[in-house]
Amino acid sequence: MTTGRIAGARRPAWAWALALVAVAAAASPLIAYWLTNPDDQRLVDLDVYRTGGWALLRGLPVYDVITPAPQLLPFTYPPVAAMLAVPLAAMSWPVAQWVWTIAVVAVLAVTVRHAFRAFLDGVRGALAAPALFAVLCAACMYLMPIRDQVRFGQVDLFLLALCLLDCVARRPWWPRGVLIGLATAVKLTPGVFLVYLAVTAFAPSDAGPGRSGTAPSGPRQRHGDTAQHHGDTAQRHGSTGQRHGSTGQRRGDAVQRHGDAAQRRALFMAVFTAAVLTLLPFLVITDDARDFWFRALLDSERLGANAATTNQSLRGMLLRLYLPDALTSAVWLAAVTAVGWYGFRQARRAHLDGDTMTAVALTGLMAVLLSPVAWIHHIAWIVVVVAAVAGSGRDPVRLLVAAAVWLYYVLPIPWWGVSIKALEIPILSPVAGKIVQNAFGLGAIGLIWLLGSWLPRRRAAVTTAAAVPAAKA
C-alpha cells in the first residue's frame, strides 16, 4: 500500500517549483503595495532593527538611538538582537527591504509546509500536494497578522518558524531546544515555549484512558489524523494494532510517571542557548546590555501606546476599559493566571495525546495573550492555529471551522470597532464598539477553548464513529 508520505516523496520537483512560483505571484500584489508606499512609512520595524545594528557599528548607545522622523521609534529588543541586525545595517536601505521581504515570504512557505504537514501528506496525486501548498500559502499570506509582517517588516514570523521547527521537525540536524532558545534571546515572548517544555517535561499528567473521552497516548494516538486515514489498514492488521496500542499505553504511563526525557533535553538546550545569548552581550557590549535589562525593558511605553487598538493582549484589552491603574493591574494578573493555567494545561494534554501541532498553537496563543503588549502582527500564530484545526483535512467539520477562523483573521475587524466608536451612538458605540475593537484578542481566547476543549472531543467523536463499522465487521 502506498501511504501519503511515500506518495509525497515521489511528487516531481517541477511541481513544487511551480507551486513556489504561484506563491510568489500571490504575494506580489502585497509586496508591490507596501514597497511602493511613502519611504517614511515603509517597513518601519525593519528600520528599527537596522537602527540597532547601525548604532553598534557607530559605537552609539543602542537604546538612545531612534529612527528618522516621522516615526522616531526606539530599538526595543534585547542587545543580542542588535548584534544580529548588524548585517542589515551594512546593506543599503533598498537592498535590505527586498532581502527582508523575500525572506518573510520564504519563511511563511516553510511555516506552512510544516504546520500543514498532515494535510499535505494526506492528499493523493502527483500535483495535489504542491497545488494545495500553493493555495495554503496564498491564503495565509492574506491573513491580517501576516499582511502586517510585510507591511512593517516584522521579525515575528521568523521567531514563529524557529519555535515551530524546534517542536515538529521530524529529523532535526540541530539539538532540539536550540531554536527556541535563540528565539527567546531575540525577543523574550517566545519564552512561553520554555514554560511549555517545562510542563511537558516534568509536570505530572492527569491524562489517562478515561479522561475527557480521549484515547491513551501512544503511536496510534500520536498520529490520530493519520490513523483515521488508514482505518482500513488498521482493521486488516487488528492484532498488530492491538499490540502497538499496548506498547503505546505502556509508554504513555511511563511518560505520566517519569516525564518526557526528550522534552527535558530540549528544555535544557533552550535554557542554555537563551542564557548564553543573553550573557554574551554583557561581554561584548556591556553598557548596552546593562541599559536594556535595567532600564529600557522596564519602560513598556517604549513599545508604543499600550492602549492602542493594535495591542490585542489581555492587558491591552483591559487598558482600553480605562479603569483605575491598580484595578487594571489586579484584573490583568488574575486573567493572566487563569488563561495561562488553562492554556498550558491544555498544551500539555495535547502533547501527551501526541497532537504536537495543537500544543504549539496553544503555546503560541499564550505568547499573544499573556504578553503585556501584543500587536496584531504578533498573532502570526494564527497560521499554526488554522493548521491544527484543519488536521489531516479528512474531517469536513474541522475544515469548515478552520476556514471560519481563517476568514475571521483576514478581515480587519478591530478597526470596525474603532469606526463604530467614532459614530458616537449612545450605548452601541461605547459597548459594541469596544467589543469589536478587541475582536482579535477575544478571538484568541476563544481559540484556546476551541483547541483545548472542542478539538479533542471532535477528534474522539470521529474516531469512535470510524471504529463502529470496524467493530461490526
Side-chain angles (χ1 to χ4, degrees), residues 143 382 385-386 389 400-410 447 450:
L143 288 161
I382 198 64
V385 172
V386 172
V389 175
L400 286 173
V401 173
V405 172
W406 171 82
L407 180 61
Y408 185 84
Y409 281 92
V410 165
L447 288 174
L450 184 80

Side-chain angles (χ1 to χ4, degrees), residues 78-406:
V80 72
M83 296 169 63
L84 295 173
V86 168
L88 292 172
M91 301 177 190
S92 68
W93 180 224
V95 170
Q97 293 176 54
W98 279 103
V99 168
W100 191 264
T101 303
I102 292 171
V104 166
V105 177
V107 170
L108 176 64
V110 172
T111 300
V112 168
R113 181 64 186 95
H114 284 81
F116 288 90
R117 182 167 58 200
F119 199 172
L120 292 167
D121 287 356
V123 297
R124 298 178 180 275
L127 302 181
L132 178 60
F133 170 75
V135 170
L136 291 172
C137 283
C140 290
M141 177 64 66
Y142 286 87
L143 288 161
M144 188 173 182
I146 304 302
R147 299 200 304 268
D148 280 358
Q149 299 292 314
V150 178
R151 175 185 179 184
F152 296 117
Q154 252 293 329
V155 73
D156 297 299
L157 200 53
F158 295 85
L159 304 179
L160 183 158
L162 290 174
C163 296
L164 177 66
L165 289 173
D166 225 354
C167 292
V168 306
R170 282 173 173 159
R171 291 179 294 273
W173 51 264
W174 64 90
R176 286 197 191 273
V178 167
L179 301 187
I180 289 174
L182 171 60
T184 302
V186 169
K187 195 182 175 177
L188 300 186
T189 50
V192 294
F193 279 87
L194 300 181
V195 180
Y196 164 67
L197 292 176
V199 299
T200 54
F202 298 111
S205 171
D206 57 356
R211 177 184 48 72
S212 301
T214 58
S217 61
R220 188 174 179 181
Q221 176 62 25
R222 283 198 302 272
H223 302 287
D225 292 322
T226 306
Q228 180 184 349
H229 173 47
H230 299 297
D232 53 343
T233 304
Q235 182 179 350
R236 287 194 298 271
H237 303 285
S239 59
T240 303
Q242 183 177 357
R243 290 195 299 273
H244 287 177
S246 299
T247 303
Q249 177 63 57
R250 289 195 296 271
R251 178 193 178 278
D253 292 341
V255 168
Q256 292 175 43
R257 290 194 302 271
H258 306 298
D260 192 321
Q263 294 294 92
R264 286 199 296 272
R265 289 192 296 270
L267 175 62
F268 170 78
M269 289 304 305
V271 172
F272 176 76
T273 304
V276 168
L277 294 177
T278 298
L279 294 174
L280 177 63
F282 281 97
L283 302 176
V284 181
I285 47 174
T286 305
D287 291 340
D288 291 318
R290 186 186 303 115
D291 193 22
F292 174 77
W293 291 103
F294 299 106
R295 182 184 67 87
L297 179 62
L298 306 178
D299 182 8
S300 62
E301 291 302 322
R302 286 175 61 90
L303 301 173
N306 290 190
T309 302
T310 49
N311 184 6
Q312 292 287 314
S313 69
L314 290 172
R315 180 170 172 269
M317 291 187 283
L318 289 171
L319 286 175
R320 286 189 287 275
L321 295 177
Y322 299 101
L323 302 172
D325 290 347
L327 180 58
T328 297
S329 297
V331 175
W332 177 56
L333 290 174
V336 163
T337 301
V339 173
W341 175 82
Y342 181 82
F344 285 118
R345 184 172 182 268
Q346 298 307 316
R348 182 190 66 190
R349 168 184 168 180
H351 169 77
L352 291 171
D353 286 348
D355 190 356
T356 303
M357 202 61 65
T358 296
V360 171
L362 282 163
T363 306
L365 291 174
M366 293 295 100
V368 173
L369 290 171
L370 305 186
S371 174
V373 177
W375 308 126
I376 287 175
H377 53 71
H378 292 169
I379 314 177
W381 288 102
I382 198 64
V383 173
V384 184
V385 172
V386 172
V389 175
S392 67
R394 298 284 167 177
D395 183 354
V397 173
R398 289 177 63 176
L399 286 179
L400 286 173
V401 173
V405 172
W406 171 82

Side-chain angles (χ1 to χ4, degrees), residues 407-427:
L407 180 61
Y408 185 84
Y409 281 92
V410 165
L411 301 173
I413 300 176
W415 299 108
W416 297 351
V418 175
S419 299
I420 293 172
K421 290 171 65 177
L423 296 175
E424 298 184 350
I425 301 174
I427 301 178

